[in-house]
Amino acid sequence: MGKVLIIGAGGVGTVVAHKVAQNPDTFTEIMIASRTKSKCDAVVKAIGNPNIKTAQVNADSVDELVALFNDFKPEIVINVALPYQDLTIMEACLKSGVNYLDTANYEPKDVAHFEYSWQWAYKKRFEDAGLTAILGCGFDPGVSGIYTAYAAKHYFDEIHYLDIVDCNAGNHHKAFATNFNPEINIREITQNGRYYENGQWVTTQPLEIHKDLTYPNIGPRDSYLLYHEELESLVKNFPTIKRARFWMTFGQEYLTHLRVIQNIGMARIDEVDYNGMKIVPLQFLKAVLPNPQDLGENYEGETSIGCRIRGLKDGKERTYYVYNNCSHQEAYKETGMQGVSYTTGVPAMIGAMMFLKGLWKKPGVWNVEEFNPDPFMEQLNKQGLPWHEKFDGDLEL
Ligand code: NDP
């Protein structure tokens, strides 16, 4: 059905490559390209399909990307490099007539700032070129938006309260490690918290608000209010929402390490002089922390991510909780990666599948909740991320 180019051979890229290879009816030709070609070759070896091509590319360079795109001629690029590369890859897509999908919004390297404005600004150019760009198609953002769209379509006339709840109850047996790229992860959680209420954004201190939430098959876990990028598009696309928040669990041990990292300046993202060399402390820290891709083997337990929604149907208040639990060990057995990479990579593959099947094809730049959620939800059940629903229970929020 179509040619796909995956950019990035990290934890998420590895899962995307496995899942794309498992769906040969949809993905007829596959290439994985990244900064370090040997990592792409290792992924292909692990999958055991020599037909998957590999290439080296610096995705910060539009020219290099254009040369690669013109050579391989993919129909769609799955961008699972880092958020810094989103705009160069979108530029190259426009220059070469290629469709686009990613899992994280653009961030400038020198300031940890999360908003869609930079990518939404490409809407007209993608429209004029007849190309589709699908933004934020991992789990959160990604499935969190699709769950919300599914709830709005089938169960609510008006959604009033939305809480996205993200629990990782896994244990990787390391003193401290992040589950995806440490630089991106630490930038995200050391920011101020932010949520949406009655038409305004309310800012909190980092990790200031927290409460115990009970997760299915896991139990109660201390959950912290964070800003997360999908809140921005969801309140725009579902204007009946009065309050939207995002919660993530952290263990005390993790938070203690994080506090120390910040207190000693290792979370800084500005350059410092070290022996006449410029280094960014957070990037240096990434080099010494465990690689998230190596956590899988000893990772036990599961993740549980979902949406807790309250609103109106036929004039009556109702609640709805939709979620997926994903076992780190099962993810590892299937792809060699832990559950956080798995829950991101599977939806990225499904988004590209939706595009190639013509189900999510419309020129412009879109967030996932702007497409029909039904065929995506159906694929989640088939591709390893089954979902469950609870109606009219206590949401705790
Ligand atoms: P990793 O750091 O494991 O992998 C990133 C990959 O991108 C590496 O292979 C890296 O190459 C490559 N890369 C980085 N810079 C460049 C460049 N300039 N040119 C070419 N390749 C480059 O990250 P993850 O796999 O953990 O995360 C991938 C993406 O997924 C991130 O954007 C992250 O924010 C997003 N994500 C989204 C989630 C969601 O639910 N929506 C959840 C988790 C992650 P090299 O190996 O040489 O360093």
Side-chain angles (χ1 to χ4, degrees):
M1 200 178 274
K3 263 189 183 186
V4 63
L5 171 62
I6 304 160
I7 302 185
V12 179
T14 302
V15 173
V16 174
H18 273 85
K19 299 306 288 194
V20 154
Q22 286 174 14
N23 287 278
D25 290 350
T26 305
F27 302 101
T28 43
E29 281 185 66
I30 307 165
M31 177 186 269
I32 176 161
S34 193
R35 183 164 50 192
T36 316
K37 185 173 176 292
S38 57
K39 291 194 187 173
C40 306
D41 293 332
V43 174
V44 173
K45 194 161 168 238
I47 295 173
N49 177 347
N51 293 327
I52 303 175
K53 298 189 173 74
T54 62
Q56 197 277 329
V57 74
N58 173 12
D60 291 321
S61 157
V62 176
D63 289 346
E64 279 196 31
L65 288 164
V66 168
L68 179 69
F69 293 1
N70 289 344
D71 184 40
F72 182 60
K73 297 192 171 35
E75 266 154 78
I76 187 164
V77 165
I78 302 179
N79 167 18
V80 280
L82 297 179
Y84 314 132
Q85 280 86 47
D86 288 3
L87 300 188
T88 43
I89 298 177
M90 288 177 85
E91 266 315 322
C93 281
L94 284 167
K95 283 195 158 62
S96 314
V98 177
N99 301 281
Y100 174 86
L101 178 145
D102 69 28
T103 66
N105 70 7
Y106 172 71
E107 280 173 53
K109 268 194 184 127
D110 52 351
V111 35
H113 191 67
F114 308 92
E115 63 172 59
Y116 279 112
S117 60
W118 289 288
Q119 292 183 276
W120 284 344
Y122 279 77
K123 193 173 182 83
K124 174 101 178 39
R125 291 174 67 199
F126 270 79
E127 242 168 51
D128 292 347
L131 295 171
T132 303
I134 302 169
L135 305 185
C137 197
F139 207 105
D140 44 347
V143 177
S144 53
I146 291 150
Y147 282 168
T148 307
Y150 188 76
K153 182 171 176 183
H154 297 286
Y155 303 128
F156 290 92
D157 297 325
E158 289 185 16
I159 291 180
H160 289 170
Y161 300 98
L162 168 67
D163 286 283
I164 300 165
V165 293
D166 179 332
C167 171
N168 182 0
N171 182 359
H172 45 53
H173 303 284
K174 304 264 188 223
F176 181 83
T178 62
N179 294 294
F180 64 96
N181 185 287
E183 186 186 331
I184 304 297
N185 190 205
I186 292 173
R187 277 164 68 112
E188 175 180 274
I189 59 188
T190 53
Q191 289 309 293
N192 283 335
R194 203 146 63 104
Y195 64 98
Y196 178 86
E197 189 159 44
N198 297 327
Q200 295 192 337
W201 292 98
V202 183
T203 302
T204 71
Q205 290 301 305
L207 309 180
E208 179 190 338
I209 298 179
H210 61 108
K211 66 182 290 175
D212 263 0
L213 298 177
T214 309
Y215 295 89
N217 206 33
I218 292 167
R221 287 285 190 282
D222 208 0
S223 309
Y224 291 77
L225 187 147
L226 297 184
Y227 180 66
H228 226 238
E229 62 200 57
E230 66 265 50
L231 297 177
E232 184 187 7
S233 67
L234 286 168
V235 299
K236 177 172 160 273
N237 289 320
F238 298 96
T240 60
I241 291 180
K242 296 179 182 174
R243 188 186 64 208
R245 301 180 295 192
F246 183 96
W247 305 83
M248 190 178 272
T249 60
F250 298 108
Q252 276 317 309
E253 192 56 15
Y254 182 92
L255 292 176
T256 305
H257 276 83
L258 192 66
R259 202 162 46 243
V260 173
I261 285 169
Q262 280 186 288
N263 286 345
I264 61 175
M266 286 306 292
R268 281 174 59 174
I269 59 173
D270 55 326
E271 285 186 343
V272 299
D273 192 71
Y274 176 74
N275 279 351
M277 218 166 72
K278 298 273 182 227
I279 62 164
V280 175
L282 185 54
Q283 286 173 2
F284 176 75
L285 180 69
K286 173 182 185 275
V288 295
L289 283 177
N291 183 347
Q293 287 170 62
D294 299 336
L295 299 176
E297 196 168 1
N298 297 311
Y299 221 138
E300 297 162 347
E302 55 189 11
T303 62
S304 179
I305 317 176
C307 291
R308 299 186 186 187
I309 298 174
R310 191 143 47 98
L312 292 181
K313 180 73 180 172
D314 300 328
K316 286 202 199 104
E317 182 161 279
R318 77 175 321 183
T319 71
Y320 176 63
Y321 181 16
V322 53
Y323 65 91
N324 161 266
N325 276 28
C326 176
S327 147
H328 288 292
Q329 266 310 301
E330 291 301 315
Y332 180 73
K333 271 189 234 150
E334 187 185 330
T335 63
M337 293 295 133
Q338 32 85 358
V340 176
S341 302
Y342 190 86
T343 52
T344 310
V346 172
M349 178 281 289
I350 299 175
M353 173 187 270
M354 293 294 106
F355 171 78
L356 289 174
K357 286 186 167 179
L359 298 165
W360 280 23
K361 197 172 198 168
K362 51 179 176 179
V365 173
W366 309 98
N367 292 87
V368 290
E369 66 271 19
E370 295 175 274
F371 294 99
N372 179 6
D374 295 354
F376 196 107
M377 292 290 275
E378 197 184 308
Q379 284 299 324
L380 283 171
N381 281 334
K382 291 185 181 157
Q383 303 286 348
L385 295 176
W387 41 278
H388 312 277
E389 301 177 305
K390 288 186 181 174
F391 294 91
D392 298 321
D394 174 9
L395 296 182
E396 305 175 295
L397 288 160

